[in-house]
Amino acid sequence: MRGSSRAAVAEGRQSFETVLMSGDPAVVADELFAVTALLDDNATLRRGVADPSREGKDKADLITRLLHGKVSNETVGIVAVLVAQRWAQERDLTDTVERFAVEASLKGAEDAGAIDQVEDELFRFERIVAGNPELRDAIGNRSGDAAGKADLVAGLLQGKARPETVRLARQSVLAPRGRRFDRTLEEYLDIAAERRQQLTAVVTTAVDLTQEQHARLAGALQQIYSKPVQLQIVHDEDVIGGIRVQIGDEVVDGTVLRRLDEAKRHLAG
């Protein structure tokens, strides 16, 4: 985001965090997701409330009138503060409303001491979908019925995952906002990591890590990056041995498979 949008996010965050301290995070999350959908679906409204040439008070009054009685006063207050700011791009406003919705859902997990569980469940569910072609096609079909896909996701997770996990997984297919399912969940997980001021490392290995190996690897990565690192373990028998670690765009590949591939390329050259 450019400067004006970053300042707008910072201003809106004060109101958002205040509401989270006393409100119900689940309600705030659902209502902010609904506002995101409203703005995404109504281009005229979106342009009107994101227009930097309009007075902030006028934009805040407009959104307050539209939302009054449809969502809680606390959520109206958050959105009114956001639209009153100057945004560099329309998309920055809607992205921020969605981000706050995700954070509100994660706050519910934080309050229950289950944020690690939610992150792990979202990651595992994305991997399950990726590994099942039939399920991947059903969820990723952009011409499919969004509500039907959301019901499918809820049915797969209900009773097996935290409510916050179910909410975020359903949202990722109800309103992907032009993103693939896997990319939407990756963004949600990135938001969780940023909120907790930590990094996430995807570790691919052929065998389970012992608790000691898990702790040693997390500690070594924390020393390198100067931040806590959450490990997400992916089992892949094809790697044969060793591990592959990816943090963001950085990859350290120490698998036997990679070394064999390198040897083949060297012999072929």
Side-chain angles (χ1 to χ4, degrees), residues 195-216:
R195 182 170 177 86
R196 301 176 71 192
Q197 297 185 325
Q198 70 174 19
L199 298 174
T200 298
V202 178
V203 180
T204 304
T205 176
V207 296
D208 285 330
L209 297 181
T210 66
Q211 284 188 331
E212 180 183 358
Q213 290 171 327
H214 191 286
R216 286 173 57 193

Side-chain angles (χ1 to χ4, degrees), residues 48-49 54-65 83-84:
V49 295
R54 294 186 63 179
E55 288 291 331
K57 184 178 184 305
D58 291 342
K59 294 186 291 183
D61 289 345
L62 170 62
I63 202 69
T64 298
R65 290 195 300 272
V83 302

Side-chain angles (χ1 to χ4, degrees), residues 39-171:
L39 294 175
D40 279 341
D41 293 342
N42 192 321
T44 301
L45 173 61
R46 185 174 66 250
R47 285 193 294 269
V49 295
D51 185 353
S53 67
R54 294 186 63 179
E55 288 291 331
K57 184 178 184 305
D58 291 342
K59 294 186 291 183
D61 289 345
L62 170 62
I63 202 69
T64 298
R65 290 195 300 272
L66 285 173
L67 297 181
H68 179 71
K70 300 180 177 66
V71 297
S72 65
N73 291 336
E74 291 78 10
T75 298
V76 172
I78 294 170
V79 180
V81 170
L82 285 173
V83 302
Q85 311 309 310
R86 291 178 61 86
W87 297 91
Q89 299 180 51
E90 292 175 17
R91 176 84 188 202
D92 291 346
L93 169 60
T94 51
D95 283 352
T96 300
V97 178
E98 181 194 36
R99 181 190 177 93
F100 283 2
V102 174
E103 288 194 38
S105 194
L106 293 169
K107 178 63 164 58
E110 289 175 357
D111 292 345
I115 185 64
D116 286 345
Q117 180 181 345
V118 169
E119 289 186 60
D120 186 65
E121 288 171 349
L122 286 174
F123 179 79
R124 297 293 169 199
F125 186 61
E126 188 278 321
R127 300 304 304 176
I128 289 171
V129 173
N132 185 319
E134 184 177 350
L135 182 58
R136 183 177 65 241
D137 291 344
I139 289 178
N141 181 6
R142 295 194 177 188
S143 62
D145 174 56
K149 290 188 288 185
D151 288 343
L152 171 62
V153 167
L156 292 170
L157 290 174
Q158 205 69 49
K160 303 173 185 175
R162 292 275 313 172
E164 298 85 2
T165 304
V166 178
R167 177 183 297 106
L168 292 174
R170 288 187 75 257
Q171 184 64 29

